Amino acid sequence: MTQFLPSSIRNLPAIAWIGLLSLPMLSACAGGGDRTPYPSLAVRPVEKQGFAEPVVKPVELRPDPALDRDIAGITDRLGTVEGEFTTAHDRAEASARAARGQRVGSDAWLAAQTDLATLDEIRARTSALLTEIDDRAIARAAELKPDYPALTKLRARAAAISERQAAQISALTASLPTG
């Protein structure tokens, strides 16, 4: 093919050949026939409003007597469960002290394991109360109602009690012989 080209073109480097061959393709991009109107790059009215967060009116919190009764009932049950745990923990701690130095499967070790099972059962009831509190909060959120401060406070208290109980059970379990 190059035999038909003049010698000045035949001696061009490869990069020049690529440029020459791409000229017809680039001319197609020139868009002589494209009449599409493109949007202006000028500032639009919405961009003049600024990016500050809108002012939100505080939501008026209305008393909820039914929820207040539920919160009082759950608070009483939480106090009862917490007292039971404290009593059972003291007993389990004494059993764990007696089991230290004993072999696994001894009477003292079995008594300590039984007391730990009792603690775990009481902690499960605390966890169930926490779940009940969460269910109340979820129901309020589903109705698009704001957080109820007494419910939020009770949830924080129940969560702290549950975490403390779990830590105490773990500490007693770790103090027992394992093998």
Side-chain angles (χ1 to χ4, degrees):
M1 175 169 146
T2 58
Q3 62 216 15
F4 302 110
L5 297 173
S7 64
S8 61
I9 294 179
R10 259 185 277 152
N11 296 332
L12 287 176
I15 194 79
W17 274 104
I18 293 172
L20 282 175
L21 294 175
S22 63
L23 280 177
M25 290 184 278
L26 289 174
S27 67
C29 294
D34 187 12
R35 301 288 180 239
T36 306
Y38 293 99
S40 168
L41 296 178
V43 177
R44 293 172 289 197
V46 72
E47 294 171 337
K48 293 178 183 177
Q49 293 178 358
F51 296 102
E53 290 292 322
V55 177
V56 179
K57 290 187 275 183
V59 178
E60 181 182 330
L61 185 62
R62 295 188 180 113
D64 188 342
L67 184 57
D68 287 335
R69 278 191 305 276
D70 289 346
I71 289 171
I74 294 171
T75 301
D76 290 343
R77 288 187 290 159
L78 185 61
T80 302
V81 169
E82 188 176 18
E84 288 177 29
F85 186 88
T86 301
T87 302
H89 180 265
D90 293 343
R91 188 172 50 251
E93 197 170 35
S95 296
R97 261 195 310 276
R100 287 188 191 112
Q102 302 289 321
R103 64 180 176 74
V104 173
S106 67
D107 288 340
W109 184 84
L110 289 172
Q113 290 295 329
T114 302
D115 289 340
L116 279 173
T118 301
L119 284 178
D120 207 28
E121 184 273 327
I122 296 170
R123 189 199 57 76
R125 285 192 277 149
T126 304
S127 181
L129 288 172
L130 182 58
T131 301
E132 193 175 329
I133 295 166
D134 284 341
D135 288 344
R136 298 286 194 296
I138 290 168
R140 281 188 66 79
E143 295 172 3
L144 301 177
K145 293 180 179 176
D147 287 345
Y148 204 70
L151 189 63
T152 304
K153 184 179 174 183
L154 179 60
R155 191 207 181 284
R157 179 178 169 222
I161 290 170
S162 182
E163 288 173 16
R164 180 178 43 79
Q165 289 174 350
Q168 289 175 321
I169 291 171
S170 294
L172 286 176
T173 303
S175 73
L176 293 176
T178 57

